[in-house]
Amino acid sequence: MQDSNYNVIVSQLKRDFKLDWIRKGADQEMIDYADKVGKYTKNNLLTTTKIRNLYGEIKRIQSKNNFKDEKSSIYLLKARFAYAYGREKDVRIKNALEVLLNIFKDSVQCINDNETYNNYCNLMEAIIAFHRYYGGK
């Protein structure tokens, strides 16, 4: 059974997402958004362990600093998010993973070089930082 506020919250988070954060980089509005998503994912029981594999792959790709060679790995992140979502049994955790999947699906359309990928990484790092700030473990 889904949380009754789920559709409202997810719709709001989807509406608040800005492609300019991927195209141009962070601003205060992105930090505020990351705060909301971090809090939402923590409140929906998403643990650091659940996102470690995803975030680890995101950072591995970033460390290569070679967009052309890692382009297929970037696109395969969608499959990794989908796998994590599909494996999960707890509806609340699935909801949190779906938010992260939606962010990736929106972001990937703008990721076309190292700079835009780094901007995506910065957004994810901020979300994870706020997740931890709110008590995510």
Side-chain angles (χ1 to χ4, degrees):
M1 175 165 192
Q2 288 208 348
D3 178 358
S4 60
N5 292 326
Y6 169 74
N7 289 331
V8 173
I9 293 167
V10 172
S11 293
Q12 184 66 45
L13 289 173
K14 195 152 182 57
R15 190 172 34 256
D16 290 348
F17 178 80
K18 304 285 188 275
L19 288 174
D20 273 353
W21 300 331
I22 308 305
R23 291 182 187 125
K24 299 177 183 176
D27 60 15
Q28 185 59 50
E29 192 176 12
M30 186 196 88
I31 299 304
D32 294 341
Y33 179 80
D35 187 336
K36 288 179 203 173
V37 174
K39 187 174 187 176
Y40 178 79
T41 57
K42 185 272 177 192
N43 288 343
N44 280 284
L45 310 176
L46 185 64
T47 62
T48 304
T49 303
K50 297 278 185 191
I51 56 176
R52 186 171 293 137
N53 288 336
L54 296 168
Y55 187 63
E57 181 64 7
I58 289 167
K59 293 302 282 183
R60 184 201 67 76
I61 293 167
Q62 185 182 32
S63 73
K64 299 291 184 184
N65 202 28
N66 188 341
F67 179 78
K68 287 183 182 179
D69 289 346
E70 293 297 320
K71 195 171 186 174
S72 62
S73 295
I74 292 167
Y75 291 120
L76 286 171
L77 282 172
K78 181 178 178 182
R80 286 180 178 264
F81 276 108
Y83 178 76
Y85 176 86
R87 258 187 97 197
E88 185 54 54
K89 303 290 184 239
D90 186 299
V91 173
R92 292 179 69 190
I93 297 171
K94 281 179 93 90
N95 292 346
L97 285 168
E98 185 173 7
V99 168
L100 297 179
L101 175 60
N102 287 339
I103 290 169
F104 177 76
K105 287 182 347 186
D106 290 344
S107 298
V108 77
Q109 63 187 309
C110 294
I111 297 173
N112 53 24
D113 57 21
N114 288 335
E115 182 181 351
T116 52
Y117 186 72
N118 287 335
N119 291 341
Y120 168 72
C121 291
N122 291 338
L123 172 59
M124 291 304 294
E125 189 171 325
I127 290 169
I128 291 168
F130 281 109
H131 174 268
R132 183 70 174 170
Y133 170 79
Y134 287 110
K137 302 200 187 278

